[in-house]
Amino acid sequence: MPPPADIVKVAIEWPGAFPKLMEIDQKKPLSSIIKEVCEGWSLGNHEIFALQHADVTNFYITEKNRNEIKNGAILRLTASPAQTAQQLHERIQSSSMDAKLEALKDLANSSRDITFAQEFINLDGISLLTQMVESGTDFGDMLSFTLTAFVELMDHGIVSWDTFSLAFIKKIASYVNKSAMDVAVLQRSLAILESMVLNSHDLYQKVAQEITIGQLIPHLQGVDQDIQTYTIAVINALFLKAPEEKRQEMANILAQKELRGIILSNVIRSNRSINSEMAHQLYVLQVLTFNLLEDRMRTKMDPQDQAQRDIIFELRRIAFDVECEPNNSGSIEKRKSMYTRDYKKLGFINHVNPAVDFTQIPPGMLALDNMLYFAKHQQDAYIRIVLENSSREDKHECPFGRSSIELTKMLCEILKVGELPSETCPDFHPMFFTHDRSFEEFFCICIQLLNKTWKEMRATSEDFNKVMQVVKDQIMRALNTKPNSLDQFKSKLQNLSYTEILKIRQSERMNQEDFQSRPILELREKILPEIMELIKQQRLNRLCEGTCFRKISSRRRQDKFWYCRLSPNHKVLHYGDLEENPQGEVPHDSLQEKFLYESDEYLNFIAPDKHEYCVWTDGLNALLGKEMASELTKSDLDTLLSMEMKLRLLDLENIQIPEVPPPIPKEPSNYDFVYNCK
């Protein structure tokens, strides 16, 4: 008979004694179970004892989390959280440096447990740690463990960040501002500053006064990628929380300090591979940089504003090499006619008053900014496009003005200008870190692509939307290859001509349309279960190999790891915390925790990327007997089905398969043709 669901079989350790095998009744109060354990070892005062997991976490077992205890778990009888907190509170104030160092090390480890953290905080422990930091008497490992304990305690979100003094902020900032500082101390200090900025508007202002971009830059020029990551995270936090009116000012400072070039040289083009957390921070910086364009993107042009109208005059002047005529040169009607003619050649929708074209938001004034940048920085290409189109027939001209407005709007959608960055996305593009005006350069490449594609398609004004769809397809396909520079991006686009796009689309369409006849569809239905079973087995095999996942704390810092893998018999998920990201598979026996996926309990997974997300959601759905419906499954199914169908139909190549089976002929009028073997 299996044990009742409320009974859990465990082993319990006590220093100096043999482990005790015991059945825990989950219906009994935890205090009664601890009392029973203490009596088994003849220990009095059971109130000062507690149970904790005997693994790398050493987390205490409470009434809230006791349901996480699994059969076969190893527990430890130890001092209660209140007792341990009291002891450590006293030990970290020891006059002996060695004893104090050991106590701070223990405190840093224990503070990861929220149960202990609550007790230590109740003793005003965080104030004690901040006083120790402010005193400035601790250095090296002692300071490192002090800051680590502080970070772990604050991660639980029990104490508000608004409670800290200016003296503490100044001290933490001083560790970052020093040119030579212990790596561990520097890392913790950067993490604390990031959390302060993200979690408190008041602290943002204080930190911004203590830390300058110039003081952060040297940390990016080192070789420690973790320090570089934390440094960019602080810059991103300052950028994100800065008032809108100060963000452009901060961007100007970043440009003056050549932040982009330093990141490009020391991070993106360094010999080290970029880890996922660094990729995320680069993505955040990319998004925040492009979001500076939002104001112009949402600003309508004022047709009465002379300064804005002068930009349009400048576009006309550069294109046609004309100066603005004085007011007394010719009749008003003649000048109006001349302007209207030129504005039509420039491709504006409103030939009389092109300023009206820029009242649409998005893209607003951003489109005009891009056009002027293109006209000034790539003048030959600009003039060629305008004159080329003005010499074509009206219906075949590619309207530069209208195209620029729609293209700017499209690029803003592709780069999600104005949207807040995702908290986990690692999707940054190296090429945008190669130029100070990367968006404008991006536009310059794409507007020339649009003109080229228009000619290749022999498009007319009725085909405008169709051309824009093709151009978007070209841009997205080139971006997905993650080119390292704008020149590489341009080269990728050269290989994605309209003819090539047609071939790609035709190939993709053929993979879908080749198999539409009834016999082929019947064969497809017959093969489908085999392919789905193959995909299912692949997903389950991947779950058996396991994956390292990151935890996200209240600081949104992904600096903690845990590993999860499926048992070979597909019955149990093994999981456990890790100190660092492993290089290969983690053995089952080193993962102390177990999870029955059919239970009412739950695990929180944060996938490192979309592919891993699809693999795990598919695998878990397969285990639960549910449909695997991820994008990856659809893609794999299409690919494998297409390959299998083509292999099976090789012998029928160039043979027309009828839509319906041929009819069965009528019976003959006699069977005289039958040969009698006898």
Side-chain angles (χ1 to χ4, degrees):
M1 288 287 292
D6 294 320
I7 301 298
V8 184
K9 294 184 176 182
V10 300
I12 301 178
E13 298 176 342
W14 172 250
F18 287 108
K20 187 187 292 288
L21 297 177
M22 186 173 177
E23 290 186 352
I24 292 179
D25 185 350
Q26 292 285 40
K27 289 182 178 178
K28 292 174 64 175
L30 191 58
S31 57
S32 299
I33 296 170
I34 294 171
K35 182 179 180 182
E36 186 181 337
V37 173
C38 289
E39 288 173 350
W41 276 308
S42 303
L43 299 171
N45 297 331
H46 71 274
E47 297 87 356
I48 65 171
F49 291 97
L51 291 173
Q52 66 180 184
H53 292 280
D55 56 19
V56 292
T57 65
N58 293 328
F59 286 172
Y60 281 100
I61 294 165
T62 65
E63 291 290 355
K64 287 184 179 179
N65 65 23
R66 61 184 296 177
N67 288 330
E68 296 176 8
I69 303 173
K70 305 294 188 295
N71 277 311
I74 301 175
L75 309 181
R76 182 187 297 118
L77 184 67
T78 186
S80 68
Q83 189 83 358
T84 305
Q86 183 64 51
Q87 291 171 358
L88 284 173
H89 193 274
E90 294 169 2
R91 287 172 56 201
I92 62 175
Q93 300 179 72
S94 171
S95 57
S96 166
M97 290 296 103
D98 290 341
K100 184 176 179 180
L101 177 62
E102 197 62 32
L104 286 167
K105 186 177 180 181
D106 291 343
L107 177 62
N109 288 327
S110 299
S111 296
R112 292 179 298 172
D113 183 359
I114 190 170
T115 309
F116 167 85
Q118 185 68 69
E119 296 293 344
F120 189 78
I121 289 169
N122 289 343
L123 296 172
D124 213 13
I126 286 186
S127 294
L128 177 58
L129 292 177
T130 56
Q131 288 167 19
M132 291 167 63
V133 171
E134 288 173 20
S135 68
T137 56
D138 295 336
F139 301 98
D141 287 345
M142 197 170 292
L143 179 57
S144 172
F145 287 130
T146 303
L147 295 177
T148 301
F150 175 84
V151 169
E152 296 290 352
L153 290 167
M154 290 302 298
D155 264 358
H156 298 298
I158 299 170
V159 178
S160 169
W161 283 92
D162 288 308
T163 58
F164 299 108
S165 67
L166 182 60
F168 179 71
I169 297 168
K170 286 179 176 289
K171 201 68 183 175
I172 297 297
S174 71
Y175 299 143
V176 173
N177 293 337
K178 286 181 182 176
S179 55
M181 177 51 66
D182 179 83
V183 172
V185 172
L186 177 58
Q187 192 181 88
R188 304 298 183 276
S189 299
L190 287 166
I192 291 169
L193 291 177
E194 182 199 6
S195 295
M196 286 178 171
V197 172
L198 290 176
N199 290 289
S200 168
H201 177 69
D202 185 46
L203 289 187
Y204 154 74
Q205 294 176 319
K206 292 176 180 176
V207 171
Q209 291 174 353
E210 297 297 326
I211 295 289
T212 66
I213 300 300
Q215 290 162 331
L216 292 171
I217 292 293
H219 302 315
L220 292 171
Q221 296 170 317
V223 294
D224 189 311
Q225 190 170 112
D226 287 337
I227 295 297
Q228 291 175 325
T229 303
Y230 278 90
T231 302
I232 296 176
V234 172
I235 293 171
N236 285 339
L238 290 167
F239 216 144
L240 189 64
K241 293 299 178 179
E244 287 189 21
E245 64 273 10
K246 286 193 174 182
R247 285 181 190 169
Q248 188 59 58
E249 180 185 332
M250 185 174 175
N252 294 338
I253 294 171
L254 295 177
Q256 289 171 9
K257 298 296 182 182
E258 299 181 344
L259 176 72
R260 179 196 57 75
I262 290 168
I263 290 176
L264 183 66
S265 302
N266 295 279
V267 178
I268 296 174
R269 291 182 177 171
S270 70
N271 295 325
R272 302 180 304 278
S273 60
I274 294 176
N275 62 37
S276 59
E277 175 59 10
M278 173 60 87
H280 171 66
Q281 294 300 340
L282 291 173
Y283 152 80
V284 173
L285 183 58
Q286 172 185 295
V287 171
L288 294 175
T289 302
F290 284 141
N291 279 356
L292 292 170
L293 304 169
E294 184 182 10
D295 181 54
R296 295 293 282 174
M297 182 183 77
R298 301 201 183 281
T299 300
K300 291 183 180 182
M301 184 172 187
D302 179 1
Q304 307 306 318
D305 188 315
Q306 188 58 44
Q308 295 179 2
R309 290 167 62 87
D310 285 346
I311 300 176
I312 297 177
F313 292 149
E314 181 68 3
L315 289 173
R316 174 178 175 265
R317 186 194 66 77
I318 295 172
F320 305 115
D321 193 25
V322 294
E323 298 297 333
C324 291
E325 295 83 357
N327 290 333
N328 59 358
S329 63
S331 69
I332 295 175
E333 289 302 321
K334 183 179 178 182
R335 280 191 287 115
K336 276 187 177 180
S337 173
M338 189 166 51
Y339 276 103
T340 300
R341 180 201 65 200
D342 289 349
Y343 290 148
K344 183 176 182 298
K345 289 180 179 179
L346 281 169
F348 291 113
I349 297 172
N350 191 315
H351 306 153
V352 178
N353 185 7
V356 175
D357 289 13
F358 300 99
T359 57
Q360 170 196 347
I361 55 169
M365 288 295 292
L366 185 59
L368 188 57
D369 294 342
N370 282 339
M371 293 168 71
L372 184 63
Y373 182 91
F374 180 50
K376 285 190 169 183
H377 292 82
Q378 299 199 23
Q379 195 171 107
D380 291 344
Y382 166 69
I383 293 172
R384 186 182 70 251
I385 287 175
V386 173
L387 296 183
E388 213 174 66
N389 284 292
S390 63
S391 62
R392 290 183 190 154
E393 294 178 42
D394 282 356
K395 67 175 185 177
H396 283 291
E397 67 178 2
C398 176
F400 174 72
R402 182 185 176 191
S403 299
S404 297
I405 292 168
E406 290 302 317
L407 179 63
T408 300
K409 183 180 178 181
M410 180 201 294
L411 298 184
C412 288
E413 290 171 357
I414 290 172
L415 299 176
K416 296 180 170 59
V417 174
E419 295 184 21
L420 285 175
S422 156
E423 292 192 4
T424 56
C425 179
D427 190 22
F428 82 99
H429 292 276
M431 74 178 198
F432 291 129
F433 289 84
T434 62
H435 201 284
D436 288 328
R437 303 288 294 275
S438 58
F439 184 81
E440 289 87 344
E441 290 290 321
F442 186 40
F443 169 84
C444 291
I445 294 170
C446 293
I447 192 63
Q448 293 178 78
L449 167 73
L450 193 156
N451 190 64
K452 172 174 170 284
T453 302
W454 184 283
K455 289 190 289 185
E456 290 172 349
M457 292 176 68
R458 297 179 181 176
T460 64
S461 54
E462 289 80 12
D463 300 319
F464 186 85
N465 291 333
K466 182 181 175 183
V467 174
M468 295 305 295
Q469 289 171 2
V470 173
V471 169
K472 184 174 184 178
D473 195 5
Q474 292 170 312
I475 293 170
M476 293 303 296
R477 290 180 189 274
L479 280 178
N480 288 338
T481 65
K482 292 291 177 71
N484 289 319
S485 67
L486 290 162
D487 285 339
Q488 273 191 25
F489 174 68
K490 194 172 182 178
S491 177
K492 298 282 184 186
L493 291 175
Q494 290 293 333
N495 297 326
L496 286 171
S497 64
Y498 176 58
T499 305
E500 186 62 27
I501 289 292
L502 283 180
K503 287 180 183 177
I504 293 170
R505 287 181 172 181
Q506 185 178 10
S507 174
E508 292 171 348
R509 192 162 51 247
M510 283 177 64
N511 287 336
Q512 298 171 356
E513 294 178 357
D514 271 357
F515 311 118
Q516 297 304 312
S517 66
R518 183 178 158 191
I520 300 297
L521 290 174
E522 289 176 358
L523 177 61
R524 179 188 173 94
E525 290 303 312
K526 184 179 178 181
I527 296 172
L528 188 63
E530 299 174 24
I531 302 298
M532 286 303 295
E533 183 61 27
L534 183 65
I535 295 172
K536 175 183 172 182
Q537 290 304 318
Q538 189 274 339
R539 299 295 191 266
L540 294 177
N541 289 339
R542 277 287 291 106
L543 264 62
C544 288
E545 292 172 9
T547 302
C548 181
F549 297 94
R550 289 179 179 267
K551 293 183 176 181
I552 294 187
S553 67
S554 61
R555 302 196 317 275
R556 293 189 264 181
R557 161 71 62 232
Q558 304 175 41
D559 55 2
K560 296 181 181 178
F561 301 91
W562 67 289
Y563 199 90
C564 186
R565 63 184 301 183
L566 181 65
S567 61
N569 63 4
H570 299 174
K571 297 294 183 184
V572 177
L573 290 171
H574 296 264
Y575 68 97
D577 289 344
L578 301 175
E579 292 298 321
E580 57 185 4
N581 196 346
Q583 296 302 312
E585 291 182 19
V586 176
H588 289 98
D589 53 12
S590 66
L591 302 172
Q592 301 295 327
E593 302 295 332
K594 294 180 181 178
F595 178 83
L596 294 167
Y597 54 83
E598 292 178 332
S599 68
D600 293 332
E601 302 170 45
Y602 63 88
L603 287 173
N604 290 317
F605 292 80
I606 299 176
D609 50 53
K610 188 173 183 179
H611 180 272
E612 211 65 32
Y613 169 81
C614 291
V615 166
W616 275 85
T617 52
D618 283 343
L620 294 173
N621 280 328
L623 288 171
L624 296 170
K626 297 180 180 179
E627 181 186 1
M628 298 185 295
S630 74
E631 290 182 17
L632 184 62
T633 291
K634 292 175 184 175
S635 173
D636 287 351
L637 183 62
D638 288 343
T639 302
L640 293 171
L641 259 179
S642 175
M643 289 173 60
E644 184 65 20
M645 295 285 284
K646 286 177 180 177
L647 285 171
R648 295 198 183 197
L649 296 173
L650 272 177
D651 292 339
L652 297 178
E653 191 172 357
N654 297 324
I655 296 176
Q656 184 70 35
I657 300 173
E659 288 294 323
V660 294
I664 299 173
K666 294 179 181 180
E667 288 192 24
S669 57
N670 63 68
Y671 290 88
D672 292 345
F673 60 85
V674 177
Y675 177 73
N676 191 335
C677 296
K678 296 179 181 179

